[in-house]
Each structure stands twice: as structure tokens, then as C-alpha cells.
Amino acid sequence: MSEKRAKYIFVSGGVISSLGKGLASASIGALLEARGLSVTIQKLDPYINVDPGTMSPFQHGEVFVTDDGAETDLDLGHYERFTHCTLSRFNNFTTGQVYDAVITKERRGDYLGGTVQVIPHITDEIKNKIIQASQGFDVSIVEIGGTVGDIESLPFLEAIRQLRIEVGHENAIFIHLTLVPFIEAAGEVKTKPTQHSVKALREIGIQPDILLCRTNQALSEGIKSKIALFCNVERDSVITALTVDTIYAVPLCFHQEGLDEKIIQKLKMWTAAPRLQHWKKLIEKINHLEKKVIISVVGKYVHLKDSYKSLNEALFHGGIANHTHVHLEFIDSEKLEQGDEAQWSALRSADGVLVPGGFGERGCEGKIDAIAWARENQIPFFGICLGMQMAVIEFARHSAGLKDANSAEFNEKTKHPVIHLMEDQKLRREKGGTMRLGTYDCVLKKSTKAYAAYHREKIQERHRHRYEFNNAYRKDLEARGMIFSGINPQTGLIEMMELKNHPWFVGCQFHPEFKSKPMKAHPLFISFIQEALKIRSLKESKKSKVVRIGLKNSKTAEEIFV
Ligand code: GLN
């Protein structure tokens, strides 16, 4: 990589979390790429965990896996979906990693007897990590996790304050995302939370250059001027970050507000006008999704949608490619297991069933019930990672007569461990970063649904699992109609399976959702939605047939029909 020095955009957030800092950073990346600049995006997370891999999906949401096998924050998913970046373990680090590196150096004696302190040792380590990930790019966007005022994000803010002085004002800017709420009782938007947030930033030596004001109402000139005055920023550096119907509209909204122009002005960069045609086309498509399908997602993390972030997006992308609005029904597999009628009827309304990845036994029998229903009723089924493993168990139990079939993850002593622990996992004791992670090769069998979706033989997909299909059962299941359509050429591990006597029943051990993009939907999601559409139109034609039969027998109704 060349030694080109990047210019920095530091993005912080204030007032509350969940304002969309990740999406804002991703959208800035998209706009700068549209101007022909090379961009990288980094997320700095202030928590102590070394990475989010060990955290519960309820606490942290999805764990996004990079090509090189890093378990990272879900914001990296947004970065990859909005830009051409392929990110790596260098694009996300935590307080835990920073301290780990500093303590390792201290134990090695690298500090030559010095007292090791937050400033300069921790802040130096943070700066080094930022610089390292930024080399070779025109612009490096650095998102600081958390909210200004948090104790744990202080070293990160101090590090970027120092870095800006070191690289010079023309080579780094601070963008602060804040909230401008509409207060019903007052009938107007309020700027005070923003003023307080910026005050907190300025107290630690950071004067924001640009403010992104998240709001549900367009901000008037008067409000923008007031924010500018009280927060010590230029009037045209107060940007409205309006809540929009689709996240993919954010880059265009920012552009209309003049954000990309402002950024390059402040960074003293000269670029061509941005080419935003592809974003405009995308929004046009999203605004005109004529068809509709219902997909049931059966899992146990259904109460926190962030747990399936990339999955939700990939399904949406598959819909866009088919001009279809994908309505997601999240079904709680535990309730399904208990026979909850509302959950069962929601499942039955589906045009396609998807069982995503997951860990642990809770709710798994409900997933198996849902898969059996999809298989028996010829409803398109897509199983991802744990979802594929559950599909294998369902088939082994109900179609191959292996009544006790199970995964060794849930029952180590099961008579038929159709899913078992991978060989190299057996010796692993530590939990963090020890799964089969990142990109692996897979060779697809011709004349399969998998091959029909990808149109090629060799694929590469990202993984995150410890268990796998037990090849000892391959022959038995093949004899009953299971096709092993994707195999890892180096290890012989089964990466994809499907069923012969079913319109579309596909499982994959990898996570295709990580590589789907709004303008380039993943082939498996395109195929899945395509098949669900077929079921939908079949259902609709049956419905209209019923209506017509009714009409034939009734004169008055026939008149209405005519
Ligand atoms: N728990 C399963 C395993 O470890 C599946 C993991 C997943 O769905 N990501 O193999």
C-alpha cells in the first residue's frame, strides 16, 4: 500500500445514542467515493471487551464478520453496504484492545521504566491504530462510539484532539451528530440539547467544524442560525439530518444539504462533482416496489431487530432486485415451540421462511417445527448457519428416520450427532475469537439451486461457527433426497445443502447476508425472494379463483364482476 497520508473526518455523537452515527459515517463515505476519493471507515468502541464476539446479541446487536475473520461492530456492515470498502480487523477496535496492546508492551519492557498512563500511552496507542488503518487512502472517516460525556470515551476524544493538532487543521475535521427534538408541548424544535452536547465537547478541547442535526422536522433558517451562534460553528455548517423513510436516502439528503461540499472545502480538497446517479436510481427503485412478499424470520433474538441487522438489509436488497417490498414477520421460535397460536398463524401467512444464525438450545425445537412446516408445505425455506444445521436435523428426524438426530451443541451424547463440533474446535478452551471465522472457499455442484443462484462454481463466503455437518451421515441423507450443493475444497466441510423434492429449500453454513449490498443484492437472497414471489402469486391466483367460482353461482355478484 502506498504511503499516502489520509485526511481525517472524526465523527462523534451527542445527547443520546442511536441517532445514526454509523449511517452518517457510511453516508459520508458514499458521498466522498462518489467524488472519486478513496475512503476507509473505522469504528472506535469505548467498551472493555476485546471485540463484540463474546457479547449477547441482546446487548450488542449483530456481530459483523469481516473477510479476514474479525468479529466487529454492526456499523461496519453499514460501511461496507454504503461504500466499496472491504474492511478488516483494523477497522474496528475497542478500549479492551488498546489496553491489551499497552499492557503487552509494558510487560515486554518497551516503556523502559516509565510510568504507563492514559496520556500519553493509551492515547498514543489509539492514534497509532487510527493512523495504521488510514494509510493509503485519501480520506479516513473515524467514528467514535458512545456519546460525548461518557467516561469511557474520554481517551478516544483526547486522542483525536491531539491527532488533529499533529496533522494540521486542513487535514482533519470534527463532525458532531446531535439531536434537535420537536417538543410537542412547546410546538417547536429545541436546540438546548445540542448546545449542551457541543459545550461538553468544547470543554475537552474539541470544537466541531460541522454539526449534523438529527431531527424529524426540517430546520428553519432561524433555528440553524441559532445553533450556529450558540455552538460556535458557521451557519452553513449546520446540516439537517432529517429522519427519512429508507436509510439509503441519507447520502442524497446530506448532499442536498451541502455536506460533501462543505467537507471538501474544509479539508482543502478539490474533486469533480459527485456522481450520484446510482444512488438516485436506487431510491427511485425503492420508491416503486410494486410487489409484496411476506417472509417469516424464525429466531430467538426477534425482540431486538439489530440482532439481525445485515440479514434484514439483505432481505430488503433481495426485494429491491425483484421490485418487491419484503415484509418481515419476526417469529419467536420459543413461542412456536409452546404452540402459541398467534405465532403459528403469523408463520402460516408467510410466502417464505428463514431461520437465521444463532447459538444455544433455547427455541431450537420451535425452529425445527417451522422448518418441517415449510418443507411439508413446499414453502421456500432459507436456513443460514444455525438455520442450515436445524434443517439437517429436521430432515434427519422426519425424512431419514433418525429420530434422535440432534446437534452436539445441544446434546453431546445424542445417538445421531448429524451436526458435530469441528475437529479443530475440540482443543479450544477460550471463547473469544476462536470460532471458524471469515472467508472460506466453496465449490458449488452444477445443476443445483445454489449454482442457479450464483451462476458460478467457485464462491467465497464469510463464516462464524463451531459446529458443522457430520459427513458420516452424508450418504444416508443423500439417499433420502438431500443434496450437498456446496463443499469446501480444502477440508470437505459441507457449506451448502438443498432438497430434491421441494421448490426452494436451501441451507448454507456461511452468512451470505454480510456480503449483500443495496445495489448488488446477494444472489441467494435474490433467488429466495423470487421463489417467495411465486408462492405469493400462486396464493393470490387461488384466492381469485375462489372468488370467481363464488361469483359464477350468484347473478347479482356476476353483475358486479362484469
Ligand atoms: N451455534 C452454531 C455453531 O456454532 C451456529 C452458529 C451461527 O449460526 N452463527 O456452529
Side-chain angles (χ1 to χ4, degrees), residues 150-405:
D150 298 345
I151 291 175
E152 54 187 13
S153 61
L154 274 175
F156 290 100
L157 294 170
E158 169 61 14
I160 60 171
R161 185 196 67 74
Q162 293 173 14
L163 194 53
R164 206 243 188 135
I165 292 186
E166 286 163 27
V167 299
H169 274 227
E170 290 172 3
N171 294 320
I173 55 168
F174 295 118
I175 297 184
H176 189 59
L177 174 64
T178 164
L179 178 69
V180 181
F182 178 80
I183 302 298
E184 204 80 45
E188 59 181 7
V189 293
K190 291 289 178 188
T191 64
K192 198 67 91 182
T194 297
Q195 294 179 38
H196 277 294
S197 180
V198 172
K199 186 167 172 252
L201 257 186
R202 291 171 72 192
E203 274 167 8
I204 52 177
I206 294 176
Q207 166 63 53
D209 299 287
I210 296 173
L211 289 178
L212 293 179
C213 302
R214 177 71 191 271
T215 172
N216 295 332
Q217 318 268 321
L219 299 182
S220 68
E221 286 309 306
I223 291 289
K224 282 187 169 183
S225 300
K226 185 175 175 189
I227 294 172
L229 180 66
F230 281 88
C231 297
N232 195 33
V233 296
E234 293 157 7
R235 157 61 200 81
D236 57 359
S237 294
V238 179
I239 304 286
T240 306
L242 200 62
T243 304
V244 277
D245 292 340
T246 162
I247 55 172
Y248 300 112
V250 176
L252 290 177
C253 286
F254 281 177
H255 174 68
Q256 273 156 14
E257 280 282 303
L259 177 62
D260 46 324
E261 191 61 41
K262 199 79 223 164
I263 290 173
I264 61 155
Q265 257 177 34
K266 289 198 180 284
L267 287 174
K268 299 266 186 299
M269 296 180 102
W270 287 268
T271 73
R275 291 178 187 203
L276 292 166
Q277 218 39 42
H278 53 307
W279 283 102
K280 287 180 186 152
K281 262 199 207 149
L282 176 70
I283 297 306
E284 190 60 24
K285 262 186 156 180
I286 292 176
N287 287 338
H288 294 95
L289 300 175
E290 307 139 7
K291 297 172 266 180
K292 183 190 165 188
V293 286
I294 302 174
I295 301 295
S296 285
V297 176
V298 184
K300 73 174 171 187
Y301 314 120
V302 286
H303 308 295
L304 182 71
K305 308 235 161 63
D306 266 4
S307 308
Y308 301 119
K309 194 92 219 171
S310 296
L311 179 75
N312 301 346
E313 292 307 316
L315 284 162
F316 183 54
H317 305 159
I320 298 172
N322 283 295
H323 306 283
T324 299
H325 170 73
V326 180
H327 174 81
L328 299 182
E329 273 296 343
F330 288 92
I331 313 261
D332 185 334
S333 55
E334 233 182 335
K335 287 201 179 140
L336 219 51
E337 197 173 309
Q338 293 153 2
D340 184 301
E341 204 25 65
Q343 297 291 291
W344 270 103
S345 96
L347 177 74
R348 286 192 207 103
S349 72
D351 307 311
V353 174
L354 190 148
V355 178
F359 295 84
E361 193 178 9
R362 190 162 60 81
C364 275
E365 292 301 324
K367 292 177 192 173
I368 292 173
D369 293 343
I371 296 169
W373 178 81
R375 184 177 57 75
E376 284 161 7
N377 290 287
Q378 304 273 297
I379 302 292
F381 167 77
F382 194 5
I384 296 179
C385 206
L386 183 72
M388 176 189 114
Q389 298 177 353
M390 295 298 102
V392 168
I393 296 170
E394 191 281 326
F395 189 80
R397 283 187 193 171
H398 302 139
S399 296
L402 305 172
K403 285 202 171 45
D404 304 318

Side-chain angles (χ1 to χ4, degrees), residues 404-408 410-419 473:
D404 304 318
N406 210 339
S407 165
F410 315 139
N411 179 2
E412 271 182 57
K413 298 205 174 79
T414 179
K415 202 162 136 205
H416 294 296
V418 287
I419 304 296
Y473 289 92

Side-chain angles (χ1 to χ4, degrees), residues 357-360 384-386 389 409 464-467 509 511:
F359 295 84
I384 296 179
C385 206
L386 183 72
Q389 298 177 353
E409 182 177 357
R464 181 171 187 252
H465 61 117
R466 287 185 209 283
Y467 293 83
Q509 188 54 76
H511 289 271

